[in-house]
Amino acid sequence: MIGYGSQEGTRLAALCVERLRADNATYRSLDPSTLLPAIVTLDDIVIGALSANRDFSASELAEIETHGRQRAGMGVPIDDLLQGWRVCAQTFVEEIARYGHAQAVAEPVLLQLVMDLHTTCNAAMVVSAQGHREAELENVGSEYERRSEFVRGVLHSTLGIGDIRLRAQMYGFELGRRFHAIRARVCSSGESVTELEGRLGLAGGGRSGLVSVIDGDLAGFVDTPPDRLDDGYVGLGPAVPFDDLAHSFRRATRALTTAVAFGMPGIHDMASLGVLPAVMSDQEVGEELALRYLAPLAALSDDAADNLLTTVKYYLAHGQRIEPAARELLIHPNTLRYRIRRYQELTGCDLREAGTALEVWWAVQVTRIDGHGPSRTRS
């Protein structure tokens, strides 16, 4: 630029810093001594390319991109970064006008110089913004990894107590508070874990906690658990101190596994599932009970066996009361009595005995896990 030297460049850069800090709260919060060197360097690059009527060199482009990255690292939002470029460009436009008028430079020459200046600054702004965005993405990725590592360490008990407490404080959690471990899984194949997180209200809002993805499930801990989920499965652990979240997560995992196995969408803890987690986990007992109370039905046709098993299921679900079970099945009470009697004859059991009724109920639940009826027991 006409009359541009090192001293003049430093003066103009200092003026840019002064104006920028006057107009922008972000830059005002930063030490001006950390801003000036970069602006001096960028001004030299822009004016050098403008004066020689050339594009930026590879090293200059790298310098401009680095500037954007550094501003991102300083916490300067991209809008403020771009404002900084505009302030500097306007400062140089004013300097061109002042110098040109003092030297009686022709108006068309000044206009062309201003246009070239804006073109060069715009090109630099694009590169600087690209560096800023890339740095932000890297920071987001790094933070996500750190958060995920912490969540996994807490839930799998791979972090020491001291490390857990230190990191919890870094994330702003009160160590005296209690948290529920949570593990959730989508129902439909078209839904993402991120969408499930949003439906559960875990992505921000009034809950304090952290979640990540573990083996394809949404997992983490929250101080206040979600209270409703119409589509999806959630296992919820008990409220415990930070140090005991691994135990809470084991129970949340068991609740989730049970709910999925029995096709029970919604939010469940171990208490709400009753004996079902035991049915789920003790396969040997289930196999023996199925052999005892379901295998005899294999002698019947599939329809007859299914009718008997369905009748037994509703009969037990209604506390062995004939009338309500018959109403729900839409059959006559005598038909239900006949089917129960027929089932007892085939299996040699008495459903009026509490222990036997529990064993039969257990065997029926096994069919829910396997997704098969009594025909599965046929050899």
Side-chain angles (χ1 to χ4, degrees), residues 4-297:
Y4 184 85
S6 60
Q7 285 188 333
E8 185 70 4
T10 301
R11 182 187 69 81
L12 290 176
L15 180 59
C16 290
V17 171
E18 179 182 341
R19 289 181 171 181
L20 189 54
R21 296 186 76 245
D23 296 339
N24 188 283
T26 300
Y27 282 107
R28 193 159 51 244
S29 67
L30 301 174
D31 184 349
S33 65
T34 64
L35 302 175
L36 184 59
I39 294 181
V40 169
T41 299
L42 293 175
D43 286 352
D44 287 343
I45 290 174
V46 170
I47 298 304
L50 181 64
S51 300
N53 191 27
R54 62 173 175 79
D55 295 332
F56 295 121
S57 67
S59 61
E60 288 171 339
L61 290 172
E63 187 73 36
I64 296 171
E65 183 181 359
T66 298
H67 170 259
R69 286 178 169 274
Q70 290 174 340
R71 288 293 182 261
M74 296 167 68
V76 177
I78 195 167
D79 288 344
D80 292 344
L81 170 73
L82 298 179
Q83 183 184 359
W85 279 100
R86 287 190 288 267
V87 167
C88 290
Q90 183 59 35
T91 300
F92 274 91
V93 167
E94 294 173 2
E95 183 62 20
I96 290 173
R98 183 190 66 77
Y99 187 88
H101 291 147
Q103 299 297 320
V105 178
E107 289 293 335
V109 174
L110 289 178
L111 178 59
Q112 185 61 52
L113 188 56
V114 169
M115 292 174 63
D116 291 344
L117 174 66
H118 279 301
T119 299
T120 304
C121 284
N122 285 339
M125 288 170 66
V126 171
V127 176
S128 182
Q130 180 180 352
H132 188 285
R133 291 192 182 96
E134 289 178 354
E136 280 192 325
L137 289 174
E138 290 170 2
N139 290 336
V140 168
S142 298
E143 174 56 30
Y144 177 80
E145 287 301 321
R146 286 193 292 269
R147 184 184 70 180
S148 297
E149 179 190 3
F150 175 58
V151 171
R152 288 191 295 266
V154 169
L155 299 182
H156 290 319
S157 195
T158 56
L159 292 175
I161 293 178
D163 200 7
I164 289 176
R165 292 177 177 176
L166 176 61
R167 296 197 192 190
Q169 289 177 315
M170 289 173 57
Y171 281 106
F173 297 120
E174 298 177 18
L175 295 179
R177 300 190 68 176
R178 300 170 74 86
F179 293 83
H180 297 265
I182 187 170
R183 185 162 187 168
R185 187 174 300 172
V186 298
C187 260
S188 58
S189 58
E191 185 178 30
S192 68
V193 173
T194 302
E195 291 171 332
L196 176 61
E197 181 180 1
R199 288 202 297 119
L200 287 170
L202 301 178
R207 294 185 175 89
S208 176
L210 285 177
V211 292
S212 184
V213 177
I214 295 179
D215 296 332
D217 295 330
L218 187 68
F221 53 87
V222 291
D223 61 346
T224 305
D227 53 9
R228 181 177 178 180
L229 180 67
D230 296 326
D231 183 22
Y233 299 94
V234 177
L236 191 65
V240 297
F242 249 104
D243 300 350
D244 205 23
L245 272 170
H247 166 71
S248 181
F249 184 61
R250 286 192 295 272
R251 295 175 69 89
T253 297
R254 192 171 180 186
L256 172 68
T257 303
T258 302
V260 170
F262 285 98
M264 301 168 59
I267 300 172
H268 301 278
D269 57 14
M270 292 287 285
S272 70
L273 293 168
V275 185
L276 291 179
V279 176
M280 178 68 188
S281 62
D282 203 331
Q283 296 182 2
E284 292 181 351
V285 170
E287 291 172 358
E288 290 298 324
L289 293 177
L291 185 64
R292 168 73 177 83
Y293 296 107
L294 302 183
L297 303 187

